[in-house]
Amino acid sequence: MNRINKLFQEKKNILSIYYTAGYPGLNDTLKIAEELELAGADLLEIGFPYSDPVADGPVIQASSKEALDAGMTLQLLFGQLKELRKTVNIPVLLMGYVNPMLQYGVDNFCKSCAEVGVDGCIVPDLPMVEYEELYMDVFKKHGLTNIFLVTPQTSDERIRKIDGLTTGFIYLLSSSATTGQNLQVSDQTEAYFSRIAAMKLDHPTMIGFGISSGETFDKACKFANGGIIGSAFVKSLDPQDLKGSVHRFVEKIRG
Amino acid sequence: MSYFVNEKGYYGDFGGAYIPEMLYPNVEELRNSYLKIIADENFQKEFHELLKDYVGRPSPLYLAKRLSQKYNANIFLKREDLNHTGAHKINNTIGQILLAERLGKKRIIAETGAGQHGVATATVCALRGLECVVYMGEIDIKRQAPNVARMKMLGAKVVPATSGSKTLKDATNEAMRDWINNPVDTHYIIGSVVGPHPYPDMVAIFQSIISEETKKQLLEQTGSDQPDYVLACVGGGSNAMGMFYHFLADEKVKLVAVEAAGKGVDSGHSAATTALGKEGVLHGSRSILMQTPDGQVVEPYSVSAGLDYPGIGPQHAHLFKSGRGEYVSVTDDESLQAGLLLTQLEGIIPAIESAHALAYLEKMKFTSHENVVVCLSGRGDKDMDTYMKYFDL
Ligand SMILES: Cc1ncc(COP(=O)(O)O)c(C=O)c1O
């Protein structure tokens, strides 16, 4: 069984952490992965930076820009992750925008992912139709899963379609928003989470966007298999004390 | 070969809707309704009344005699500069505001480069009493100050885009982020034939009034509605697509699209997308864009804020790749000189964007009596500062 399915079978209250490859230091990518696993994260989403990240708020825009300015490229990232599976056992996803992936070549990209032991991808601006028609076979050939996003405005019909296409989990956005805002669970959000739960989907769900504290993480766990934290983690990274800042952050969330 | 969009939202290899899920419901709503709304009799009536009585259409097709003499051809100028607000941009914003109203939207957002599209959007929002937010690169806010003041006077909120190169591309990113965060009550009026399907098609339809009128006017003035050449400048490509639209199927009409070479195509300071770009995805569609080998978007450069964009619309990418259109470029210097030439031969001060199309006349060889239509997409008022500095006026 692959690492992602195994994780969801074995664990509850899953903590997934997003961070940008090449930030705060160009060569911190693997080190952060290792420390996150030691600190108790269950799943990693490593962002490959893009110059025009339209779905991201200011924190991830800034980390992406710093990483790119420092020289981060997909080629370099796969180099940094070459030894990933010597030290990191938890599942790892790559997250980024479609254009860098297209330039690298989708087949090549999937091949490189498989070679270093990456388990799947999240590509917010790769549409479902194009994925299904052009790229799904390539992903499958290399044993990769593709994770899709769902917002409160996504129709049930479309959620069913996503449930049929993914092989991992479904990424529930707490609201239609760019990354980095605070999760506010209103009656409406609660109704949306309950609606999804009542659909009895084949795949587990994770709630992301706007989770920043132990309290918001606990809320996510109440409605889904776990929560995803991005901006709050990226903001907390201290280049002077990388290891310490990673551990302090995870402890704060896990409580 | 078809040069129009297919049912999947593609023009050949280009187009589509590469958008995050957060934008899907909005874009899907548009996709399902735009053709129906536009075809509606009541919409058509209101659209054409406003174009006539508010914008001042039809815009004249003017035979520029002294320019024609110089180039040994019959050069006609399609006078979009005489439209209300001074450019072709308002054809699109009138169409989209009527569409937004029919979708029940209360809030309008837009991006702008030169400020022309921002002004055209702020104008229709004032006209219809809708809230208006315009995103504009911090650098463009500085170089297009009069247009910023116009937008403010019209009641729009102008928000500086401070990310990336702080120009049109970044203003577009910020507008998309706003739309993601306001998914229900807001309509995004994109200013060119770019963005996810159905925007490129929708904007082209609204701008197609330019070639629709041109054909009629040519027939009246020359006895034939078929010119030999049609020229227009290309930023995202909306005035060009409007100018080409009704000539696309007529392969005898040569289409010439003029991009901004900035300080020279190979100078490292250019916005000549087809010369420097590769296929990829930007702002929601697959097209041609200027990028690094790693797929990061390159910052373009042009003296003209309206052409300072690293991509072109997907329909243009298709015209380029299929060979239907000829894509060329001229430099800052060449266009500023062409702007001065038109001013002194014809008494018309063109926008620097439009001066790019005029500058290419210099490089063409005519065999006399050929009929050439140049889209004069806008007037030069907003560019006086640049002209004054360049010519030491
Ligand atoms: C006068 C004028 N012409 C042309 C353009 C370029 O846009 P497009 O290529 O969409 O026509 C602009 C954009 O601001 C403009 O103001």
Side-chain angles (χ1 to χ4, degrees):
Chain A
M1 189 186 293
N2 71 43
R3 277 179 285 257
I4 294 178
N5 300 141
K6 192 156 173 280
L7 170 68
F8 282 95
Q9 213 166 63
E10 289 173 356
K11 279 193 94 162
K12 281 205 179 76
N13 302 342
I14 290 167
L15 174 61
S16 181
I17 301 273
Y18 165 95
Y19 66 97
T20 306
Y23 176 87
L26 182 59
N27 295 310
D28 289 338
T29 314
L30 185 58
K31 169 117 176 114
I32 294 176
E34 290 167 351
E35 293 306 333
L36 275 170
E37 174 161 353
L38 289 174
D42 301 308
L43 177 65
L44 302 180
E45 294 169 24
I46 304 180
F48 51 97
Y50 179 48
S51 54
D52 295 80
V54 289
D56 286 300
V59 173
I60 294 174
Q61 284 176 46
S63 61
S64 301
K65 183 165 190 318
E66 268 197 47
L68 288 174
D69 288 348
M72 181 48 75
T73 63
L74 268 177
Q75 196 114 30
L76 184 65
L77 174 59
F78 285 120
Q80 292 178 343
L81 295 181
K82 212 166 163 183
E83 314 266 87
L84 174 75
R85 289 306 173 193
K86 284 206 171 138
T87 46
V88 177
N89 301 302
I90 56 179
V92 173
L93 302 168
L94 290 194
M95 180 165 186
Y97 292 80
V98 70
N99 196 51
M101 194 171 131
L102 289 177
Q103 302 313 315
Y104 194 88
V106 177
D107 193 34
N108 238 345
F109 177 86
C110 291
K111 187 163 160 267
S112 296
C113 283
E115 275 168 11
V116 300
V118 162
D119 303 283
C121 302
I122 309 176
V123 190
D125 62 342
L126 174 61
M128 218 174 2
V129 184
E130 274 75 5
Y131 172 71
E132 197 178 0
E133 285 181 7
L134 303 173
Y135 306 123
M136 190 164 76
D137 290 345
V138 184
F139 272 61
K140 291 212 160 132
K141 183 175 90 188
H142 294 287
L144 296 180
T145 187
N146 190 24
I147 306 296
F148 296 94
L149 310 184
V150 160
T151 81
Q153 278 78 36
T154 309
S155 69
D156 284 4
E157 186 195 351
R158 199 167 156 81
I159 296 172
R160 292 266 175 232
K161 178 115 209 265
I162 287 171
D163 197 29
L165 276 186
T166 191
T167 50
F169 62 90
I170 296 172
Y171 193 141
L172 300 184
L173 265 60
S174 46
S175 63
S176 178
T178 43
T179 53
Q181 295 170 38
N182 281 331
L183 174 62
Q184 257 130 39
V185 181
S186 64
D187 291 351
Q188 259 176 330
T189 344
E190 210 156 307
Y192 150 63
F193 291 148
S194 309
R195 169 168 75 91
I196 306 278
M199 286 181 77
K200 305 244 175 293
L201 300 172
D202 291 340
H203 293 92
T205 53
M206 295 283 284
I207 294 176
F209 280 37
I211 300 179
S212 57
S213 61
E215 197 195 339
T216 42
F217 176 68
D218 290 344
K219 271 186 199 155
C221 293
K222 211 173 110 198
F223 294 102
N225 298 65
I228 302 167
I229 304 183
S231 299
F233 176 72
V234 171
K235 206 156 63 179
S236 79
L237 286 170
D238 177 0
Q240 256 70 56
D241 179 19
L242 201 57
K243 181 176 169 178
S245 60
V246 169
H247 284 262
R248 278 193 298 278
F249 186 85
V250 176
E251 271 159 35
K252 196 184 78 186
I253 299 299
R254 288 284 197 202
Chain B
M1 182 181 285
S2 168
Y3 301 112
F4 295 96
V5 76
N6 68 18
E7 68 289 345
K8 287 183 172 169
Y10 277 82
Y11 308 83
D13 297 336
F14 305 106
Y18 290 76
I19 46 168
E21 183 63 28
M22 297 80 104
L23 289 178
Y24 183 85
N26 275 326
V27 171
E28 183 68 1
E29 178 184 35
L30 272 181
R31 193 176 68 84
N32 285 329
S33 59
Y34 82 109
L35 290 175
K36 248 181 281 168
I37 292 179
I38 294 172
D40 177 67
E41 205 178 307
N42 177 281
F43 179 95
Q44 282 297 323
K45 184 164 172 285
E46 211 173 349
F47 182 53
H48 285 283
E49 273 172 13
L50 282 171
L51 287 185
K52 176 168 166 286
D53 300 328
Y54 187 71
V55 176
R57 302 202 73 93
S59 67
L61 184 72
Y62 167 68
L63 175 61
K65 295 210 184 64
R66 297 183 69 203
L67 201 67
S68 296
Q69 247 168 17
K70 175 169 164 55
Y71 291 121
N72 192 33
N74 300 317
I75 300 189
F76 294 87
L77 303 178
K78 182 58 176 162
R79 298 291 307 274
E80 294 301 303
D81 61 317
L82 293 177
N83 291 342
H84 179 42
T85 70
H88 68 293
K89 297 284 182 188
I90 195 148
N91 303 328
N92 170 41
T93 60
I94 295 268
Q96 286 205 46
I97 201 85
L98 296 180
L99 192 122
E101 284 178 345
R102 281 155 177 80
L103 293 173
K105 306 290 178 178
K106 301 278 177 271
R107 181 173 173 271
I108 300 296
I109 56 172
E111 85 296 336
T112 195
Q116 286 306 109
H117 174 61
V119 168
T121 304
T123 297
V124 296
C125 286
L127 178 69
R128 309 302 278 204
L130 293 178
E131 184 188 345
C132 181
V133 178
V134 179
Y135 291 89
M136 187 169 188
E138 206 169 42
I139 291 184
D140 292 335
I141 287 184
K142 289 203 188 97
R143 63 178 164 176
Q144 304 285 340
N147 274 344
V148 177
R150 289 165 84 196
M151 286 185 269
K152 287 187 179 159
M153 189 166 169
L154 288 159
K157 185 171 155 207
V158 181
V159 182
T162 56
S163 56
S165 57
K166 304 180 177 62
T167 60
L168 181 53
K169 155 179 102 71
D170 312 284
T172 308
N173 291 340
E174 288 304 334
M176 287 187 148
R177 289 183 186 119
D178 180 310
W179 212 21
I180 287 174
N181 287 300
N182 296 284
V184 181
D185 66 336
T186 298
H187 176 68
Y188 177 17
I189 302 191
I190 294 186
S192 193
V193 285
V194 300
H197 175 68
Y199 275 105
D201 189 41
M202 181 167 73
V203 177
I205 290 172
F206 292 141
Q207 292 293 359
S208 69
I209 185 76
I210 300 174
S211 46
E212 189 184 318
E213 289 173 2
T214 300
K215 279 182 83 135
K216 278 193 212 131
Q217 292 163 322
L218 270 178
L219 185 64
E220 278 168 24
Q221 295 181 33
T222 70
S224 161
D225 67 357
Q226 207 179 35
D228 296 286
Y229 294 95
V230 168
L231 277 80
C233 68
V234 176
S238 67
N239 87 90
M241 200 47 70
M243 188 74 250
F244 293 172
Y245 198 87
H246 291 285
F247 298 113
L248 284 174
D250 183 353
E251 309 259 353
K252 283 204 209 77
V253 180
K254 296 186 199 76
L255 311 176
V256 182
V258 186
E259 299 180 331
K263 295 181 177 164
V265 171
D266 299 316
S267 67
H269 303 278
S270 175
T273 304
T274 55
L276 298 168
K278 279 199 331 187
E279 293 180 20
V281 169
L282 176 66
H283 296 147
S285 62
R286 193 187 269 258
S287 186
I288 296 173
L289 58 128
M290 293 165 56
Q291 54 184 316
T292 66
D294 187 47
Q296 310 299 336
V297 183
V298 166
E299 318 288 3
Y301 164 82
S302 166
V303 67
S304 134
L307 305 183
D308 203 349
Y309 185 71
I312 49 171
Q315 196 168 10
H316 282 290
H318 181 50
L319 296 182
F320 169 71
K321 195 171 175 183
S322 64
R324 176 66 187 95
E326 189 188 349
Y327 286 72
V328 298
S329 64
V330 299
T331 63
D332 288 357
D333 290 333
E334 289 165 335
S335 14
L336 288 159
Q337 292 297 345
L340 182 65
L341 183 76
L342 185 75
T343 306
Q344 303 198 333
L345 285 184
E346 300 287 348
I348 300 171
I349 303 178
I352 299 175
E353 288 81 7
S354 323
H356 279 71
L358 294 163
Y360 194 68
L361 290 170
E362 196 75 44
K363 305 188 178 186
M364 294 174 78
K365 295 231 166 20
F366 299 110
T367 53
S368 92
H369 304 307
E370 280 168 318
N371 290 332
V372 180
V373 182
V374 181
C375 186
L376 200 68
S377 56
R379 65 177 88 124
D381 306 25
K382 69 181 175 62
D383 296 315
M384 283 319 295
D385 216 36
T386 311
Y387 280 131
M388 278 155 65
K389 283 202 188 97
Y390 188 80
F391 293 112
D392 208 7
L393 300 170

